[in-house]
Amino acid sequence: METTTFETQAATGKRHRLLVMLFITVVITYLDRSNLSIAATAIAQDLQLDPAHMGLVFSAFGWSYALLQIPGGMLVDRARPRLMMALIIGLWSLATVLQGFASAFVLLLSLRVLLGVLEAPAYPTLNRIVTTWFPDSERARAIAVYTSGQYVGLAFLTPALVLTQQHFGWHGVFILTGLIGVVWALVWYALYREPSETAGINQAELDTIRRGGGLVELSSARASQPRYSAADWRAVLGNRKLWGIYIGQIAVTSTLWFFLTWFPTYLVKYRHMDFLKAGFMAAVPFLAAFVGILASGLISDAMIRRGVSATVARKVPVVTGLLLSTTIVGANFVDSPSMVILFMAIAFFGSGFSSITWVLVSSMAKKELLGLTGGMFNLMGNLSSICVPIVIGLLVKGNDFAPALVFMSAVGVVGALSYLFLVGRIERIR
């Protein structure tokens, strides 16, 4: 009788409210990664840094961030998200504030490395939360919504950061974004709870999540396992399907890291746009990427609900988006600022459209290895955060940025081929 009551009871919508928290977290995460791109021109002038040195500064975050994805993912499999996220958000936000006081190349470089250390567990933790809170049929949409924070936040806040720099200098950009994160760390700790511990959630919603493949009891899944076995590592490193999404993720994130690092410099230095105008025009591609990620999540989940296989529903947006991202090379063949922004917007729309890739980790990883698999996935993907800024810095000669955009287009082709020929059927690894 009790079961019947639960089944007829309307499910609460706590999981949908949770998405607001995840969205804000991602906005703050990417503000602290991308604030350097806004301040880069002024920093280069103030600290007398050439393109090669700026490439190193741009990539410094990625050195530690990528390297620590595996330890970060292992930590996620054992730590509870409430304390984990509050702690790392607060610490990386303090590191961001300190960047506002950097007075030399080495100090700025070191603080960017520290930022990567502290942000390393963030995305594996977010993926674990979504896998815990959402059924399979809603997961791509949920991931699309919170991932869109990396685009919409920058689209609307880039002009604000540009104005901040105009009035308070590049130092103010880092201090402002860091203080926002410190406040959010406190809010996260006050509000977040696991599904079974959330006030106001009813059994109907817990059953909806559980029956749909959400891992509601994940918090205790590995409590008795002190370390990973050789079989765990083989599952993560020895599977062709996973290598397909690892390689594909390098391509997906490469376009993103171009926009997070060199894009404003490209507009100001190589396309000779006014700094303030470039700041506002730079928002257009981020808005396009925002539309792309939301559209891909809605389309992918709609295909699942209509009975389309997970293989088709998940892979089509990713491959389509990667192919669209190759259009970035078109900016090499136009002169007007509006046409440059158009090609950039199409390419970044494609990048956004391909960015539901975390749903593949949720759908394919062994359930007790979500953190480890997510860490490896994010490690591979964020190799681009190391390589792309440095390679572009080396490819750029004089006033010629064209080779860098050819490189970006080629990376998109490689990613699409990886999904087409390596990933195969989307299913959970047993």
Side-chain angles (χ1 to χ4, degrees), residues 5 47 56 67 70 74 126 138 177 308 347 359:
T5 301
L47 302 185
L56 289 172
L67 182 65
I70 298 299
M74 293 167 66
L126 294 173
E138 298 178 6
T177 51
V308 177
V359 75

Side-chain angles (χ1 to χ4, degrees), residues 104-381:
F105 167 74
V106 173
L107 181 56
L108 181 60
L109 191 77
S110 300
L111 288 169
R112 295 300 292 183
V113 171
L114 179 60
L115 183 68
V117 170
L118 297 170
E119 285 201 18
Y123 257 74
T125 303
L126 294 173
N127 191 59
R128 177 210 182 280
I129 291 170
V130 167
T131 307
T132 302
W133 271 91
F134 288 87
D136 291 340
S137 62
E138 298 178 6
R139 202 167 292 152
R141 180 173 48 188
I143 289 173
V145 168
Y146 83 69
T147 303
S148 71
Q150 68 194 39
Y151 304 116
V152 72
L154 296 174
F156 290 110
L157 295 178
T158 292
L161 293 182
V162 168
L163 291 173
T164 299
Q165 180 168 313
Q166 289 285 97
H167 289 89
F168 302 104
W170 64 266
H171 309 276
V173 172
F174 292 103
I175 294 170
L176 175 63
T177 51
L179 291 177
I180 290 171
V182 171
V183 172
W184 181 246
L186 299 174
V187 174
W188 175 275
Y189 187 77
L191 297 182
Y192 180 80
R193 298 293 187 279
E194 295 283 84
S196 60
E197 301 168 353
T198 297
I201 194 170
N202 64 7
Q203 189 65 37
E205 182 168 13
L206 292 173
D207 289 343
T208 296
I209 298 169
R210 189 180 292 110
R211 284 195 300 264
L215 306 180
V216 175
E217 290 82 13
L218 186 60
S219 60
S220 59
R222 290 189 65 93
S224 62
Q225 299 189 36
R227 61 182 180 180
Y228 292 101
S229 67
D232 291 338
W233 286 103
R234 284 195 299 271
V236 172
L237 293 172
N239 187 280
R240 176 180 61 85
K241 294 174 180 288
L242 290 180
W243 274 102
I245 66 172
Y246 296 159
I247 294 170
Q249 189 65 1
I250 294 173
V252 170
T253 56
S254 290
T255 303
L256 172 62
W257 277 101
F258 163 74
F259 281 93
L260 291 180
T261 56
W262 280 102
F263 180 50
T265 300
Y266 169 69
L267 295 182
V268 173
K269 184 174 180 179
Y270 298 93
R271 286 295 180 168
H272 310 295
M273 295 185 190
D274 173 78
F275 177 73
L276 192 59
K277 179 182 179 182
F280 282 88
M281 294 190 75
V284 176
F286 283 103
L287 285 174
F290 168 66
V291 173
I293 182 63
L294 289 185
S296 66
L298 292 171
I299 291 170
S300 183
D301 277 351
M303 292 169 73
I304 291 287
R305 289 193 297 271
R306 293 177 183 178
V308 177
S309 71
T311 301
V312 174
R314 301 317 192 194
K315 287 172 69 174
V316 165
V318 177
V319 173
T320 302
L322 283 166
L323 293 176
L324 282 173
S325 72
T326 66
T327 60
I328 195 170
V329 75
N332 284 342
F333 305 99
V334 296
D335 293 320
S336 79
S338 59
M339 289 302 296
V340 170
I341 294 298
L342 175 63
F343 276 108
M344 292 291 164
I346 294 171
F348 213 16
F349 172 87
S351 177
F353 202 71
S354 65
S355 294
I356 61 166
T357 46
W358 272 101
V359 75
L360 300 171
V361 178
S362 294
S363 300
M364 296 172 68
K366 293 178 70 173
K367 64 181 181 180
E368 68 273 18
L369 297 176
L370 278 165
L372 183 60
T373 308
M376 178 60 69
F377 176 78
N378 219 20
L379 183 157
M380 294 296 177

Side-chain angles (χ1 to χ4, degrees), residues 390-407:
I390 293 177
V391 170
I392 291 177
L394 295 175
L395 287 174
V396 171
K397 301 296 183 184
N399 289 320
D400 186 11
F401 206 88
L405 298 187
V406 172
F407 165 73

Side-chain angles (χ1 to χ4, degrees), residues 21 23-35 85-86 88-98 119 153-154 156-158 160-161 164 171-189:
M21 292 181 64
F23 176 87
I24 294 172
T25 301
V26 170
V27 170
I28 291 170
T29 300
Y30 274 83
L31 278 178
D32 291 338
R33 297 182 192 188
S34 65
N35 48 18
M85 288 302 293
I88 62 175
I89 292 170
L91 290 175
W92 89 53
S93 298
L94 290 175
T96 300
V97 170
L98 291 176
E119 285 201 18
L154 296 174
F156 290 110
L157 295 178
T158 292
L161 293 182
T164 299
H171 309 276
V173 172
F174 292 103
I175 294 170
L176 175 63
T177 51
L179 291 177
I180 290 171
V182 171
V183 172
W184 181 246
L186 299 174
V187 174
W188 175 275
Y189 187 77

